[in-house]
């Protein structure tokens, strides 16, 4: 496929507006001093160009997308429709407060619902992504210890199964990381936790279900141990899709949490946003929350706020989508969606585990992890090769080589929004690929064969990306 610049024909023109006929006094220093290099191509061809590109990209609207830890679920179009209402779109955060009553109501109601779902008492919508929510949460924990003059509390405990953003956020907030291992069942190793907890412990960051898709049965014990040492407990809510409406982080000992609205609450993601990672907390941390909030005295910053973590109220329209989603599925829908996410993952796992090795052979939550270590030893076909072969079946690969504690990992998250028929087709594809790999490993190493490009040099693509077109003049 040609680039749009290669399709351009000099002299064709690219404007629909008449040329400027007024003086606009732009200073000479701000004027462009070379050609602007816009492609010259007809509107018709532009539309075809982008349609062609869109056809080559895989998305939830194109096919099955079981990318573990990402919750690539169907995002109901009604949420988009509500969020594109001009009354929500054409609003400005600096408008007089009395003219934004509806939008403030959206924020308030969504905060109320999400607090009810998480068992938190207050929530800020400022953070623009999950990782940003983690960072905000870490700053709340920091502010808390500072206020209590707990100057020795410098460490955050993070299990080795954690998402990479967890230690990164804690470090950015100025903490040191103490890693703890998972036991052979994929749970936090309680003995090691006990050894690592000390007077330096400022808190723990935990995902439950964790990133191997398992619910940690010791959760009450873990949060109690951290609290007993004077630390706080942070809940990474990225996996809430498995437990929403069933278990509330606030009820099992967590003090702070973030949610990924773009995972759990119906905003499409991938490609960089916009996202929203609201950060919720218990009452005793409310005074540290960022941003302007509705307080007893009207709209203002909280008394001991950590400041702003982004502009104004965060990605407001993403919050509108979350509210539209919650109102459209209702409170029964929230827990039903979690149950179906778990059911779908278990269904797929059980239909695959006679040929694939499951990393932890027990009932999983919303996702499960396969390990292809043995297949690789026997045939040379790796988790990467299986993922590539899936492309020939129109399936987006699962998450690969994560979590790091499982070798040759494939992490599959079907989500609640896929039907049994779609799952059955995917199961057949996974099985066929495995059988083919055993019979003819060389062929598996060459997949995919039906996509516009085959195996890419991924290292070069990451290290030396070519992101601009080099013009001759
Ligand atoms: C996705 C994810 C995050 C980070 O969220 P972003 O919105 O991508 O910043 C954190 N933890 C877990 C477990 C996740 O799956």
């Amino acid at each position: 496929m040609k680039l749009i610049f290669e399709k351009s024909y000099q002299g064709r023109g690219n404007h629909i507006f008449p040329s400027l006929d007024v003086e606009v006094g732009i200073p000479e220093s701000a004027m462009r001093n070379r050609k602007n290099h816009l492609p010259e191509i007809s509107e018709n061809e532009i539309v075809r160009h982008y349609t062609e590109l869109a056809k080559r990209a895989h998305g939830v609207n194109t096919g099955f997308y079981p990318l573990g830890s990402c919750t690539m679920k169907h995002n109901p179009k009604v949420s988009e429709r509500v969020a594109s209402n001009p009354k929500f779109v054409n609003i400005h955060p600096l408008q007089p407060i009395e003219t934004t009553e509806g939008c403030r109501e959206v924020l308030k109601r969504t905060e109320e619902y999400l607090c009810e779902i998480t068992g938190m008492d207050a929530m800020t919508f400022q953070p623009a992504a999950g990782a940003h929510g983690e960072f905000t949460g870490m700053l709340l924990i920091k502010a808390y210890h500072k206020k209590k003059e707990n100057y020795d509390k410098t460490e955050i405990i993070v299990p080795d199964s954690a998402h990479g953003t967890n230690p990164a956020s804690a470090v950015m907030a100025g903490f040191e990381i103490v890693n703890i291992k998972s036991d052979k069942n994929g749970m936090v190793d309680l003995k090691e936790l006990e050894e690592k907890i000390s007077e330096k412990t400022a808190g723990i960051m935990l995902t439950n279900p964790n990133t191997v898709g398992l619910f940690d049965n010791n959760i009450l014990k873990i949060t109690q141990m951290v609290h007993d040492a004077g630390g706080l407990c942070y809940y990474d809510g990225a996996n809430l899709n498995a437990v929403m409406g069933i278990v509330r982080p606030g009820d099992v000992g967590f003090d702070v949490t973030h949610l990924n609205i773009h995972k759990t609450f119906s905003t499409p993601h991938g490609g960089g946003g916009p996202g929203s990672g609201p950060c919720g907390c218990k009452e005793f941390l409310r005074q540290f929350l960022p941003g302007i909030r509705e307080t007893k005295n009207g709209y203002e910053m909280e008394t001991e706020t950590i400041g702003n973590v982004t502009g104004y109220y965060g990605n407001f329209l993403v919050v509108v989508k979350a509210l539209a989603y919650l109102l459209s599925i209702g409170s029964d829908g929230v827990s039903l969606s979690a149950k179906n996410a778990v059911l779908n993952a278990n269904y797929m796992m059980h239909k695959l585990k006679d040929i694939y090795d499951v990393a932890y052979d027990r009932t999983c939550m919303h996702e499960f992890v396969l390990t292809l270590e043995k297949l690789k030893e026997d045939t040379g076909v790796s988790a990467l090769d299986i993922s590539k072969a899936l492309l020939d079946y129109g399936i987006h690969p699962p998450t690969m080589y994560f979590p790091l504690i499982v070798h040759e990992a494939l992490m599959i998250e079907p989500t609640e929004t896929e039907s049994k028929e779609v799952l059955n087709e995917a199961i057949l594809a996974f099985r066929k690929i495995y059988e083919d790999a055993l019979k003819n490993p060389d062929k598996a190493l060459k997949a995919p064969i039906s996509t516009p490009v085959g195996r890419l040099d991924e290292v070069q693509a990451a290290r030396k990306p070519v992101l601009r077109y080099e013009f001759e003049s």
Side-chain angles (χ1 to χ4, degrees):
M1 182 177 165
K2 277 190 182 169
L3 298 176
I4 197 160
F5 296 109
E6 292 161 352
K7 288 179 182 167
S8 168
Y9 178 85
Q10 205 176 345
R12 178 152 291 145
N14 51 18
H15 48 82
I16 52 173
F17 299 111
S19 47
L20 204 60
D21 58 357
V22 289
E23 283 277 322
V24 277
I26 297 173
E28 196 58 34
S29 62
M31 295 292 277
R32 186 192 301 280
N33 55 20
R34 58 186 177 87
K35 257 187 90 179
N36 63 4
H37 287 314
L38 286 175
E40 300 186 38
I41 177 167
S42 74
E43 183 173 327
N44 195 6
E45 287 162 293
I46 292 176
V47 174
R48 284 184 195 146
H49 179 77
Y50 285 106
T51 307
E52 176 87 38
L53 278 179
K55 280 201 280 191
R56 289 179 175 212
H58 189 97
V60 174
N61 292 350
T62 336
F64 188 42
Y65 202 146
L67 194 65
S69 207
C70 293
T71 312
M72 303 302 290
K73 64 192 205 178
H74 170 68
N75 302 292
K77 300 300 171 251
V78 65
S79 309
E80 296 293 329
R81 186 138 180 220
V82 173
S84 57
N85 183 328
K87 290 177 181 159
F88 289 133
V89 175
N90 300 332
I91 197 98
H92 194 282
L94 290 180
Q95 257 174 250
I97 199 96
E98 64 276 12
T99 66
T100 57
E101 205 176 334
C103 294
R104 284 184 282 128
E105 180 67 20
V106 166
L107 290 168
K108 199 168 144 191
R109 274 239 235 162
T110 317
E111 179 175 353
E112 224 172 88
Y113 290 162
L114 294 180
C115 279
E116 179 167 349
I117 289 172
T118 53
M120 295 291 140
D121 298 314
M123 197 170 274
T124 169
F125 291 105
Q126 272 209 343
H132 200 190
E134 291 167 23
F135 175 62
T136 307
M138 286 297 110
L139 291 181
L140 297 183
I141 292 179
K142 200 160 184 204
Y144 165 83
H145 286 309
K146 190 167 167 210
K147 178 155 194 221
K148 295 198 75 179
E149 300 183 4
N150 293 337
Y151 298 120
D152 52 344
K153 296 221 166 283
T154 52
E155 294 178 350
I156 294 284
I157 298 175
V158 182
D160 60 1
S161 64
H163 195 269
T165 51
N166 287 189
S169 303
V171 166
M172 276 184 70
F175 290 111
E176 280 153 42
I177 304 301
V178 174
N179 231 290
I180 44 167
K181 284 205 282 295
S182 306
D183 65 15
K184 62 179 191 315
N185 300 317
M187 310 280 97
V188 167
D189 188 324
L190 288 181
K191 218 170 126 258
E192 197 180 336
L193 179 64
E194 180 142 28
E195 284 161 21
K196 297 273 171 83
I197 287 182
S198 71
E199 71 282 0
K200 288 190 187 164
T201 304
I204 190 169
M205 293 182 93
L206 219 62
T207 310
N208 199 18
N210 62 17
T211 52
V212 291
L214 301 176
F215 191 89
D216 203 313
N217 304 326
N218 296 321
I219 192 65
L220 288 169
K221 228 180 263 167
I222 296 169
T223 50
Q224 186 64 47
M225 283 162 79
V226 175
H227 281 155
D228 287 348
L232 298 187
C233 299
Y234 183 90
Y235 181 81
D236 175 335
N239 291 338
L240 196 78
N241 211 48
V243 290
M244 59 177 178
I246 296 166
V247 182
R248 308 195 315 161
D251 294 342
V252 294
F254 288 98
D255 309 291
V256 194
T257 178
H258 84 262
L259 301 177
N260 300 62
I261 285 188
H262 44 285
K263 290 179 182 173
T264 317
F265 297 102
S266 104
T267 282
H269 61 296
S276 174
C279 177
C281 64
K282 292 280 196 179
E283 191 56 45
F284 71 98
L285 294 170
R286 182 196 291 266
Q287 73 265 32
F288 304 119
L289 283 173
I292 291 177
R293 308 176 37 78
E294 189 175 358
T295 66
K296 286 189 276 310
N297 312 318
Y299 269 76
E300 57 179 29
M301 301 285 266
E302 295 287 351
T303 48
E304 292 165 83
T305 179
I306 56 167
N308 279 314
V309 295
T310 192
Y312 306 107
Y313 305 93
N315 281 329
F316 172 67
L317 293 173
V318 178
V319 181
V320 174
K321 281 183 233 184
L323 182 60
Y325 178 66
L326 285 170
L327 290 174
S328 65
I329 64 172
S331 61
D332 294 346
V334 171
S335 53
L336 189 60
S337 131
K339 286 177 191 164
N340 281 337
V342 173
L343 180 64
N344 278 359
N346 277 286
Y347 178 73
M348 256 193 103
M349 181 175 80
H350 281 273
K351 293 280 184 185
L352 292 177
K353 72 179 204 180
D354 59 322
I355 56 173
Y356 282 90
D357 290 324
V358 178
Y360 302 97
D361 192 5
R362 50 170 270 200
T363 302
C364 67
M365 296 299 286
H366 60 307
E367 59 193 0
F368 60 100
V369 183
L370 302 175
T371 166
L372 301 188
E373 211 173 3
K374 193 164 159 296
L375 181 74
K376 186 163 181 211
E377 265 168 34
D378 294 349
T379 64
V381 176
S382 65
L384 177 93
D385 300 317
I386 297 283
S387 299
K388 295 288 180 195
L390 282 166
L391 296 171
D392 283 328
Y393 289 85
I395 295 176
H396 191 284
T399 295
M400 306 180 296
Y401 300 101
F402 179 83
L404 303 173
I405 50 178
V406 176
H407 295 294
E408 292 297 323
L410 283 184
M411 181 163 59
I412 300 169
E413 179 181 5
T415 82
E416 77 282 6
T417 58
E418 297 297 348
S419 67
K420 193 171 174 188
E421 290 71 30
V422 172
L423 297 184
N424 283 341
E425 272 174 38
I427 290 161
L428 276 181
F430 271 89
R431 297 184 70 92
K432 178 93 174 45
I433 289 167
Y434 195 96
E435 282 154 14
D436 286 352
L438 288 180
K439 269 188 262 157
N440 192 350
D442 287 347
K443 204 172 142 214
L445 299 178
K446 295 204 185 78
I449 50 169
S450 62
T451 47
V453 286
R455 298 265 174 142
L456 302 170
D457 186 339
E458 288 169 14
V459 176
Q460 284 294 323
R463 299 265 162 81
K464 291 198 180 134
V466 181
L467 300 175
R468 54 184 295 222
Y469 185 72
E470 290 298 336
F471 292 94
E472 277 152 25
S473 59

